[in-house]
C-alpha cells in the first residue's frame, strides 16, 4: 500500500496566520471577552478548541450585543467597510486577520468603484468573502458565478472584474471571455490566490495517479468542496471527509494507492490522523 499526499495541502498562509494571531490574543490573558465574527475557519475541531478557551462565535446580526472594549476577531474572509465603521463607533477592539490577498481584492474594488467603474465579482454571492468585498463598493457589485449569469449582465460603459480568491482558474477564464464583450472599457484582476491554485493543481495531479482519494476539510468549506470536484473528475473513489473517523474499511480495502489532499482550513494533525487510520485499517499502523 502507498499513501501519497498532495504537494500542497492543508492550512494556507492566510488561515495559518489567522489561527496564530487568535491563539496569540488568547495568550495575552486579557480580561475582556474575545469573539470571532463567524467561525474563524471552517474546521469544527479548531472552533471547538477556541470555544473551550472562552472564544465566542458571533454572527453579524448579533454584533449589537458587543460592548465597548470587547475584542472581535475579523477572520481571513474579511468584512465590509460599513462593518468596520460600525465596530469603531461601538468602541470594539478589532483584531483584524483579513488575509492580505482578500484585502487586495477589497482595495481594487474600492479604488475602481471610486473611479466610477461598475464592479463585477466572479464568485459565490453567499460566501462571506464575496459579501465582504461587495461591501467596498456600497454593495453595488454584480456578482456572477456562471457563464449564463455573465451573459445576462447589461452592457457597461466601464467595468472592473475581480474574482473570489478560491475560484477555479478555468471557471474564471470562461466567465472572463463573456465579460470582455460586456463593456466599452474593461479592466480585470485575476485575484485567485496562489494557495488555492497550488492546492487545486496538486490535487488534480495526484488524483490522476491514485485508486482512492481522500479530500479532508469542513463540509461547508468552499475551497475543500472545489478540491473534491477536481478529484472526482479524475478518481471515482473520491471521499470528502472531515476527520479520520469517517474512513471505513470498505473504502480502501481493495485499493493500493491512496491519495490525500486537504482544504486550506485543515490542520496538519487532522491529516496525520487520517494517515494513521488508513495505516491501521491496512494493518500497517
Ligand atoms: S485561501 Fe488564499 S486568500 Fe484565502 S485565506 Fe488562504 S491564502 Fe488567503
Amino acid at each position: 500500500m502507498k499513501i501519497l499526499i498532495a504537494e500542497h495541502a492543508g492550512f494556507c498562509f492566510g488561515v495559518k496566520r489567522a489561527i496564530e494571531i487568535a491563539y496569540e490574543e488568547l495568550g495575552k490573558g486579557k480580561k475582556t471577552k474575545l469573539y470571532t465574527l463567524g467561525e474563524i475557519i471552517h474546521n469544527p475541531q479548531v472552533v471547538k478548541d477556541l470555544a473551550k478557551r472562552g472564544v465566542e462565535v458571533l454572527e453579524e446580526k448579533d454584533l449589537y450585543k458587543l460592548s465597548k472594549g470587547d475584542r472581535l476577531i475579523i477572520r481571513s474572509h474579511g468584512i465590509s467597510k460599513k462593518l468596520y465603521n460600525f465596530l469603531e463607533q461601538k468602541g470594539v477592539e478589532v483584531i483584524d486577520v483579513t488575509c492580505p490577498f482578500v484585502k487586495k481584492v477589497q482595495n481594487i474594488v474600492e479604488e475602481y468603484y471610486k473611479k466610477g467603474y461598475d464592479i463585477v465579482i466572479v464568485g459565490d454571492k453567499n460566501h462571506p468573502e464575496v459579501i465582504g468585498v461587495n461591501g467596498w463598493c456600497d454593495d453595488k457589485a454584480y456578482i456572477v458565478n456562471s457563464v449564463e449569469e455573465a451573459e445576462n449582465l447589461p452592457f457597461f460603459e466601464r467595468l472592473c472584474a475581480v474574482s473570489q480568491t478560491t475560484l477555479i482558474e478555468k471557471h474564471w477564464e470562461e466567465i472572463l471571455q463573456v465579460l470582455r464583450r460586456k463593456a466599452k472599457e474593461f479592466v480585470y484582476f485575476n485575484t485567485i490566490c496562489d494557495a488555492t491554485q497550488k492546492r487545486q493543481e496538486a490535487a488534480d495531479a495526484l488524483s490522476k495517479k491514485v485508486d482512492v482519494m481522500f479530500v479532508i476539510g469542513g463540509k461547508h468549506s468552499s475551497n475543500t468542496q472545489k478540491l473534491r470536484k477536481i478529484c472526482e473528475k479524475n478518481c471515482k473513489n473520491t471521499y470528502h471527509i472531515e476527520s479520520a473517523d469517517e474512513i471505513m474499511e470498505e473504502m480502501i480495502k481493495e485499493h493500493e494507492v491512496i491519495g490525500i489532499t486537504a482544504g486550506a482550513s485543515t490542520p496538519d494533525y487532522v491529516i496525520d490522523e487520517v494517515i494513521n487510520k488508513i495505516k491501521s485499517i491496512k494493518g500497517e499502523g
Side-chain angles (χ1 to χ4, degrees):
M1 191 234 351
K2 238 205 275 180
I3 300 176
L4 302 173
I5 320 269
E7 199 185 338
H8 299 278
F11 270 3
C12 63
F13 151 78
V15 167
K16 202 166 170 209
R17 176 175 167 270
I19 299 296
E20 276 169 11
I21 295 175
Y23 279 94
E24 254 170 44
E25 194 58 35
L26 271 171
K28 288 180 185 164
K30 288 190 188 170
K31 293 267 178 306
T32 46
K33 180 95 184 138
L34 187 58
Y35 297 91
T36 61
L37 176 55
E39 294 184 344
I40 189 157
I41 57 168
H42 298 291
N43 181 281
Q45 292 97 330
V46 175
V47 173
K48 237 191 244 166
D49 185 58
L50 286 170
K52 260 201 322 219
R53 294 161 196 258
V55 181
E56 199 177 311
V57 178
L58 271 190
E59 297 308 323
E60 197 175 323
K61 64 175 176 30
D62 297 323
L63 287 182
Y64 69 90
K65 291 182 186 165
L66 291 170
S67 318
K68 191 171 181 338
D70 282 342
R71 291 169 295 154
L72 179 71
I73 300 176
I74 305 300
R75 59 187 170 181
S76 54
H77 294 320
I79 57 169
S80 67
K81 197 174 176 176
K82 216 168 45 199
L83 220 46
Y84 278 113
N85 295 338
F86 170 81
L87 295 168
E88 199 185 334
Q89 276 161 17
K90 273 206 134 241
V92 172
E93 187 187 335
V94 169
I95 298 129
D96 190 359
V97 297
T98 304
C99 176
F101 295 125
V102 176
K103 197 84 227 160
K104 185 176 132 195
V105 192
Q106 294 174 347
N107 290 342
I108 293 170
V109 164
E110 187 182 30
E111 182 190 336
Y112 280 83
Y113 180 64
K114 276 189 185 154
K115 283 181 183 165
Y117 284 73
D118 280 296
I119 306 291
V120 169
I121 306 169
V122 180
D124 173 1
K125 64 177 187 309
N126 298 315
H127 192 282
E129 177 194 312
V130 173
I131 295 170
V133 168
N134 194 13
W136 291 82
C137 58
D138 293 333
D139 298 323
K140 298 248 175 67
Y142 294 82
I143 303 170
V144 296
N145 205 12
S146 68
V147 164
E148 199 191 351
E149 283 171 1
E151 291 285 8
N152 287 335
L153 288 173
F155 190 79
F156 300 94
E157 253 326 284
R158 300 203 293 166
L159 186 64
C160 169
V162 294
S163 51
Q164 185 178 342
T165 56
T166 47
L167 221 60
I168 292 180
E169 191 77 32
K170 197 167 156 262
H171 188 59
W172 159 252
E173 292 292 340
E174 281 165 6
I175 293 175
L176 200 59
Q177 294 311 321
V178 180
L179 294 178
R180 284 180 205 281
R181 293 189 267 107
K182 286 284 177 182
K184 216 159 149 190
E185 190 192 326
F186 181 52
V187 288
Y188 63 93
F189 298 86
N190 177 343
T191 42
I192 297 174
C193 105
D194 218 37
T196 310
Q197 228 165 294
K198 282 186 181 153
R199 264 158 199 69
Q200 291 175 357
E201 281 165 12
D204 186 44
L206 181 59
S207 56
K208 284 176 182 152
K209 296 195 276 202
V210 298
D211 305 321
V212 184
M213 188 77 199
F214 287 109
V215 181
I216 318 167
K219 294 272 153 75
H220 301 294
S221 149
S222 77
N223 79 81
T224 311
Q225 286 168 4
K226 278 168 195 163
L227 288 178
R228 172 179 53 82
K229 269 193 209 159
I230 290 170
C231 294
E232 271 171 355
K233 269 195 235 144
N234 301 325
C235 174
K236 64 179 190 324
N237 302 316
T238 292
Y239 300 99
H240 178 176
I241 57 170
E242 276 186 2
S243 70
D245 298 342
E246 292 168 65
I247 302 177
M248 301 291 146
E249 195 180 339
E250 53 273 23
M251 293 174 177
I252 54 175
K253 74 170 180 231
E254 307 276 319
H255 305 292
E256 281 311 308
V257 188
I258 297 165
I260 296 175
T261 185
S265 310
T266 305
D268 286 350
Y269 77 86
V270 179
I271 302 177
D272 291 341
E273 284 169 2
V274 166
I275 296 171
N276 291 337
K277 177 80 184 270
I278 295 169
K279 283 185 179 165
S280 85
I281 290 176
K282 288 284 196 183
E284 295 179 20

